[in-house]
Amino acid sequence: MSVLLQPFAVECVHEGYFEFGRKRIKCNVLEQLDLSSVENGYLYAFHAPEIDIESAGSVLEQYYMEAFQVACMDVVRVWVQGYLERKNSVYDNRYCSPSFGPGYYGMGMDTIHELLGLMDASQVGVSWNGERMSPKMSLVGTYLIAGEDVFAVDSDCRDCIGQSGGCEFCIKH
């Protein structure tokens, strides 16, 4: 699997949102973090191995194939987090955040196309067709690098999609 990583400056990280040029991308978890030790960040994009799920014989086989793709995406997100932590810890220990992206940590799903527009995701075979990402099992998001481990947040936030149907923190804000 190919992963596109594009670095960005700490000046793009603000309390409650990322700002890339004139684009503001809301990410509620940023209100819960001490951003003073954040040094930089990375945008990422990748997709799971493409499998023709419809060609599987049974519904159960289709389910297993889709579960395999989801597991691949989860493994890659965690692996990239570890890779970025190692890459940025050559001289001093650095910490890498979990993946902050659409559908996680208070970032709405409507930000997918905005994040994709900030990088050339076609390099890894990911694109936006006007309604969704292609291939279907694709991910886009951000990681932050900090000199201290400031990334402990309420576990309810992990799968939060923001204010509408979000975690308790997002609903209050």
Side-chain angles (χ1 to χ4, degrees), residues 15-169:
E15 187 174 320
Y17 64 95
F18 293 100
E19 187 169 29
F20 302 102
R22 295 177 191 234
K23 290 186 184 236
R24 280 191 178 192
I25 298 174
K26 190 169 177 133
C27 184
N28 291 337
V29 75
L30 296 177
E31 293 179 31
Q32 297 182 51
L33 303 177
D34 175 9
L35 300 177
S36 64
S37 71
V38 172
E39 298 174 1
N40 65 321
Y42 292 85
L43 293 168
Y44 73 86
F46 68 91
H47 66 85
E50 293 187 70
I51 300 172
D52 184 11
I53 292 176
E54 286 75 33
S55 69
S58 69
V59 172
L60 184 60
E61 282 181 287
Q62 291 176 9
Y63 173 78
Y64 285 144
M65 287 181 181
E66 190 169 314
F68 169 74
Q69 287 180 305
V70 170
C72 285
M73 291 189 305
D74 287 342
V75 166
V76 171
R77 271 189 316 153
V78 171
W79 184 89
V80 170
Q81 180 183 5
Y83 164 77
L84 289 173
E85 198 163 275
R86 289 186 308 276
K87 172 186 167 72
N88 287 278
S89 293
V90 174
Y91 299 109
D92 296 309
N93 280 344
R94 296 292 180 265
Y95 299 87
C96 184
S97 71
S99 165
F100 301 147
Y104 299 97
Y105 295 102
M107 187 182 290
M109 296 299 289
D110 59 339
T111 62
I112 293 171
H113 70 283
E114 292 178 36
L115 288 170
L116 282 173
L118 297 170
M119 61 186 131
D120 184 9
S122 65
Q123 292 179 30
V124 291
V126 177
S127 63
W128 179 256
N129 71 9
E131 295 181 8
R132 62 179 176 86
M133 284 191 288
S134 181
K136 180 181 174 186
M137 294 290 187
S138 298
L139 284 177
V140 63
T142 64
Y143 291 97
L144 297 177
I145 305 298
E148 298 177 29
D149 189 5
V150 295
F151 301 117
V153 295
D154 187 356
S155 63
D156 289 343
C157 267
R158 195 178 98 206
D159 296 319
C160 173
I161 58 172
Q163 291 171 327
S164 60
C167 68
E168 200 170 303
F169 177 82

